[in-house]
PDB file of all heavy atoms in Angstrom:
ATOM      1  N   GLY R 549     -86.653-190.055  18.103  1.00 96.00           N
ATOM      2  CA  GLY R 549     -87.047-191.356  18.613  1.00 96.00           C
ATOM      3  C   GLY R 549     -86.267-191.699  19.868  1.00 96.00           C
ATOM      4  O   GLY R 549     -86.115-190.870  20.770  1.00 96.00           O
ATOM      5  N   TYR R 623     -76.973-169.903  20.761  1.00 98.00           N
ATOM      6  CA  TYR R 623     -77.166-171.315  21.106  1.00 98.00           C
ATOM      7  C   TYR R 623     -78.610-171.770  20.883  1.00 98.00           C
ATOM      8  O   TYR R 623     -79.009-172.830  21.352  1.00 98.00           O
ATOM      9  CB  TYR R 623     -76.765-171.608  22.558  1.00 98.00           C
ATOM     10  CG  TYR R 623     -75.355-171.196  22.894  1.00 98.00           C
ATOM     11  CD1 TYR R 623     -75.107-170.029  23.625  1.00 98.00           C
ATOM     12  CD2 TYR R 623     -74.258-171.960  22.490  1.00 98.00           C
ATOM     13  CE1 TYR R 623     -73.814-169.645  23.944  1.00 98.00           C
ATOM     14  CE2 TYR R 623     -72.963-171.585  22.800  1.00 98.00           C
ATOM     15  CZ  TYR R 623     -72.745-170.428  23.528  1.00 98.00           C
ATOM     16  OH  TYR R 623     -71.456-170.042  23.841  1.00 98.00           O
ATOM     17  N   GLY R 692     -54.494-183.756  10.086  1.00 97.00           N
ATOM     18  CA  GLY R 692     -53.522-183.278  11.059  1.00 97.00           C
ATOM     19  C   GLY R 692     -53.374-181.765  11.075  1.00 97.00           C
ATOM     20  O   GLY R 692     -52.616-181.228  11.897  1.00 97.00           O
ATOM     21  N   VAL R 694     -56.158-179.165  11.223  1.00 98.00           N
ATOM     22  CA  VAL R 694     -57.554-178.731  11.325  1.00 98.00           C
ATOM     23  C   VAL R 694     -57.643-177.500  12.211  1.00 98.00           C
ATOM     24  O   VAL R 694     -57.096-177.480  13.319  1.00 98.00           O
ATOM     25  CB  VAL R 694     -58.442-179.851  11.895  1.00 98.00           C
ATOM     26  CG1 VAL R 694     -59.870-179.354  12.121  1.00 98.00           C
ATOM     27  CG2 VAL R 694     -58.440-181.061  10.955  1.00 98.00           C
ATOM     28  N   SER R 726     -65.658-162.947  18.724  1.00 98.00           N
ATOM     29  CA  SER R 726     -66.700-162.402  19.602  1.00 98.00           C
ATOM     30  C   SER R 726     -67.266-163.474  20.531  1.00 98.00           C
ATOM     31  O   SER R 726     -68.458-163.770  20.540  1.00 98.00           O
ATOM     32  CB  SER R 726     -67.837-161.775  18.774  1.00 98.00           C
ATOM     33  OG  SER R 726     -67.356-160.723  17.970  1.00 98.00           O
ATOM     34  N   PHE R 731     -71.370-168.614  30.667  1.00 98.00           N
ATOM     35  CA  PHE R 731     -71.328-170.068  30.798  1.00 98.00           C
ATOM     36  C   PHE R 731     -72.081-170.371  32.085  1.00 98.00           C
ATOM     37  O   PHE R 731     -71.944-169.657  33.077  1.00 98.00           O
ATOM     38  CB  PHE R 731     -69.887-170.580  30.867  1.00 98.00           C
ATOM     39  CG  PHE R 731     -69.224-170.682  29.524  1.00 98.00           C
ATOM     40  CD1 PHE R 731     -68.853-169.537  28.820  1.00 98.00           C
ATOM     41  CD2 PHE R 731     -68.958-171.917  28.944  1.00 98.00           C
ATOM     42  CE1 PHE R 731     -68.257-169.616  27.576  1.00 98.00           C
ATOM     43  CE2 PHE R 731     -68.362-172.009  27.697  1.00 98.00           C
ATOM     44  CZ  PHE R 731     -67.997-170.864  27.009  1.00 98.00           C
ATOM     45  N   GLU R 770     -88.964-170.470  23.711  1.00 92.00           N
ATOM     46  CA  GLU R 770     -89.204-169.095  23.280  1.00 92.00           C
ATOM     47  C   GLU R 770     -90.194-168.396  24.195  1.00 92.00           C
ATOM     48  O   GLU R 770     -90.100-167.185  24.435  1.00 92.00           O
ATOM     49  CB  GLU R 770     -89.710-169.102  21.843  1.00 92.00           C
ATOM     50  CG  GLU R 770     -89.703-167.758  21.163  1.00 92.00           C
ATOM     51  CD  GLU R 770     -89.919-167.869  19.663  1.00 92.00           C
ATOM     52  OE1 GLU R 770     -90.281-168.958  19.175  1.00 92.00           O
ATOM     53  OE2 GLU R 770     -89.723-166.855  18.977  1.00 92.00           O
ATOM     54  N   LYS R 775     -90.346-163.420  29.896  1.00 94.00           N
ATOM     55  CA  LYS R 775     -90.511-163.506  31.351  1.00 94.00           C
ATOM     56  C   LYS R 775     -89.184-163.597  32.098  1.00 94.00           C
ATOM     57  O   LYS R 775     -89.176-163.672  33.330  1.00 94.00           O
ATOM     58  CB  LYS R 775     -91.353-164.739  31.694  1.00 94.00           C
ATOM     59  CG  LYS R 775     -92.687-164.808  30.986  1.00 94.00           C
ATOM     60  CD  LYS R 775     -93.406-166.122  31.287  1.00 94.00           C
ATOM     61  CE  LYS R 775     -94.701-166.242  30.498  1.00 94.00           C
ATOM     62  NZ  LYS R 775     -95.375-167.544  30.747  1.00 94.00           N
ATOM     63  N   GLU R 780     -84.694-162.374  37.873  1.00 93.00           N
ATOM     64  CA  GLU R 780     -83.423-161.687  38.085  1.00 93.00           C
ATOM     65  C   GLU R 780     -82.783-162.052  39.424  1.00 93.00           C
ATOM     66  O   GLU R 780     -81.559-162.168  39.523  1.00 93.00           O
ATOM     67  CB  GLU R 780     -83.635-160.179  38.008  1.00 93.00           C
ATOM     68  CG  GLU R 780     -82.361-159.370  38.191  1.00 93.00           C
ATOM     69  CD  GLU R 780     -82.648-157.881  38.227  1.00 93.00           C
ATOM     70  OE1 GLU R 780     -83.567-157.472  38.944  1.00 93.00           O
ATOM     71  OE2 GLU R 780     -81.934-157.129  37.542  1.00 93.00           O
ATOM     72  N   ILE R 821     -56.492-167.749  17.840  1.00 98.00           N
ATOM     73  CA  ILE R 821     -56.826-166.359  17.563  1.00 98.00           C
ATOM     74  C   ILE R 821     -58.122-166.072  18.308  1.00 98.00           C
ATOM     75  O   ILE R 821     -59.071-166.864  18.262  1.00 98.00           O
ATOM     76  CB  ILE R 821     -57.037-166.087  16.062  1.00 98.00           C
ATOM     77  CG1 ILE R 821     -55.741-166.200  15.268  1.00 98.00           C
ATOM     78  CG2 ILE R 821     -57.638-164.693  15.841  1.00 98.00           C
ATOM     79  CD1 ILE R 821     -55.925-166.010  13.765  1.00 98.00           C
ATOM     80  N   MET R 956     -78.438-156.616   6.076  1.00 93.00           N
ATOM     81  CA  MET R 956     -78.699-155.504   6.989  1.00 93.00           C
ATOM     82  C   MET R 956     -77.497-154.578   7.082  1.00 93.00           C
ATOM     83  O   MET R 956     -77.626-153.349   7.008  1.00 93.00           O
ATOM     84  CB  MET R 956     -79.040-156.048   8.377  1.00 93.00           C
ATOM     85  CG  MET R 956     -79.204-154.981   9.453  1.00 93.00           C
ATOM     86  SD  MET R 956     -79.501-155.735  11.075  1.00 93.00           S
ATOM     87  CE  MET R 956     -79.648-154.248  12.089  1.00 93.00           C
ATOM     88  N   GLY R 960     -78.452-151.381   0.984  1.00 71.00           N
ATOM     89  CA  GLY R 960     -78.454-150.228   0.103  1.00 71.00           C
ATOM     90  C   GLY R 960     -77.072-149.767  -0.323  1.00 71.00           C
ATOM     91  O   GLY R 960     -76.935-148.810  -1.071  1.00 71.00           O
ATOM     92  N   SER R 963     -71.216-154.305  -1.451  1.00 84.00           N
ATOM     93  CA  SER R 963     -69.769-154.276  -1.313  1.00 84.00           C
ATOM     94  C   SER R 963     -69.200-153.074  -2.056  1.00 84.00           C
ATOM     95  O   SER R 963     -69.848-152.478  -2.909  1.00 84.00           O
ATOM     96  CB  SER R 963     -69.154-155.571  -1.841  1.00 84.00           C
ATOM     97  OG  SER R 963     -69.349-155.665  -3.243  1.00 84.00           O
ATOM     98  N   ALA R 967     -64.707-152.185   1.206  1.00 95.00           N
ATOM     99  CA  ALA R 967     -65.213-153.376   1.890  1.00 95.00           C
ATOM    100  C   ALA R 967     -64.488-154.627   1.402  1.00 95.00           C
ATOM    101  O   ALA R 967     -64.123-155.500   2.204  1.00 95.00           O
ATOM    102  CB  ALA R 967     -66.712-153.515   1.671  1.00 95.00           C
ATOM    103  N   ALA R 977     -55.855-163.368   6.637  1.00 98.00           N
ATOM    104  CA  ALA R 977     -55.280-163.641   7.957  1.00 98.00           C
ATOM    105  C   ALA R 977     -55.746-164.990   8.480  1.00 98.00           C
ATOM    106  O   ALA R 977     -54.962-165.773   9.029  1.00 98.00           O
ATOM    107  CB  ALA R 977     -55.650-162.521   8.929  1.00 98.00           C
ATOM    108  N   THR R 979     -56.959-167.644   6.750  1.00 98.00           N
ATOM    109  CA  THR R 979     -56.461-168.785   5.987  1.00 98.00           C
ATOM    110  C   THR R 979     -54.950-168.962   6.155  1.00 98.00           C
ATOM    111  O   THR R 979     -54.460-170.096   6.158  1.00 98.00           O
ATOM    112  CB  THR R 979     -56.825-168.651   4.504  1.00 98.00           C
ATOM    113  OG1 THR R 979     -56.283-167.431   3.966  1.00 98.00           O
ATOM    114  CG2 THR R 979     -58.336-168.633   4.311  1.00 98.00           C
ATOM    115  N   THR R 994     -48.695-160.034  27.744  1.00 95.00           N
ATOM    116  CA  THR R 994     -49.339-159.171  28.734  1.00 95.00           C
ATOM    117  C   THR R 994     -48.521-157.931  29.074  1.00 95.00           C
ATOM    118  O   THR R 994     -48.919-157.163  29.961  1.00 95.00           O
ATOM    119  CB  THR R 994     -49.628-159.959  30.014  1.00 95.00           C
ATOM    120  OG1 THR R 994     -48.415-160.565  30.486  1.00 95.00           O
ATOM    121  CG2 THR R 994     -50.650-161.058  29.737  1.00 95.00           C
ATOM    122  N   TYR R1011     -53.415-153.105  22.896  1.00 98.00           N
ATOM    123  CA  TYR R1011     -54.849-153.383  23.014  1.00 98.00           C
ATOM    124  C   TYR R1011     -55.602-152.059  23.176  1.00 98.00           C
ATOM    125  O   TYR R1011     -55.283-151.255  24.061  1.00 98.00           O
ATOM    126  CB  TYR R1011     -55.134-154.312  24.184  1.00 98.00           C
ATOM    127  CG  TYR R1011     -56.594-154.673  24.281  1.00 98.00           C
ATOM    128  CD1 TYR R1011     -57.178-155.487  23.323  1.00 98.00           C
ATOM    129  CD2 TYR R1011     -57.387-154.165  25.308  1.00 98.00           C
ATOM    130  CE1 TYR R1011     -58.523-155.792  23.381  1.00 98.00           C
ATOM    131  CE2 TYR R1011     -58.745-154.475  25.373  1.00 98.00           C
ATOM    132  CZ  TYR R1011     -59.311-155.283  24.408  1.00 98.00           C
ATOM    133  OH  TYR R1011     -60.645-155.586  24.467  1.00 98.00           O
ATOM    134  N   PHE R1025     -63.926-164.360  35.561  1.00 95.00           N
ATOM    135  CA  PHE R1025     -64.855-164.981  34.617  1.00 95.00           C
ATOM    136  C   PHE R1025     -64.928-166.476  34.909  1.00 95.00           C
ATOM    137  O   PHE R1025     -63.914-167.129  35.155  1.00 95.00           O
ATOM    138  CB  PHE R1025     -64.399-164.750  33.180  1.00 95.00           C
ATOM    139  CG  PHE R1025     -64.706-163.374  32.669  1.00 95.00           C
ATOM    140  CD1 PHE R1025     -63.726-162.393  32.654  1.00 95.00           C
ATOM    141  CD2 PHE R1025     -65.977-163.067  32.211  1.00 95.00           C
ATOM    142  CE1 PHE R1025     -64.011-161.116  32.190  1.00 95.00           C
ATOM    143  CE2 PHE R1025     -66.267-161.793  31.744  1.00 95.00           C
ATOM    144  CZ  PHE R1025     -65.283-160.810  31.735  1.00 95.00           C
TER     145      PHE R1025
END
Side-chain angles (χ1 to χ4, degrees):
Y623 305 103
V694 175
S726 300
F731 280 71
E770 193 167 11
K775 306 175 184 178
E780 181 185 47
I821 292 177
M956 174 184 180
S963 66
T979 58
T994 55
Y1011 183 69
F1025 282 99

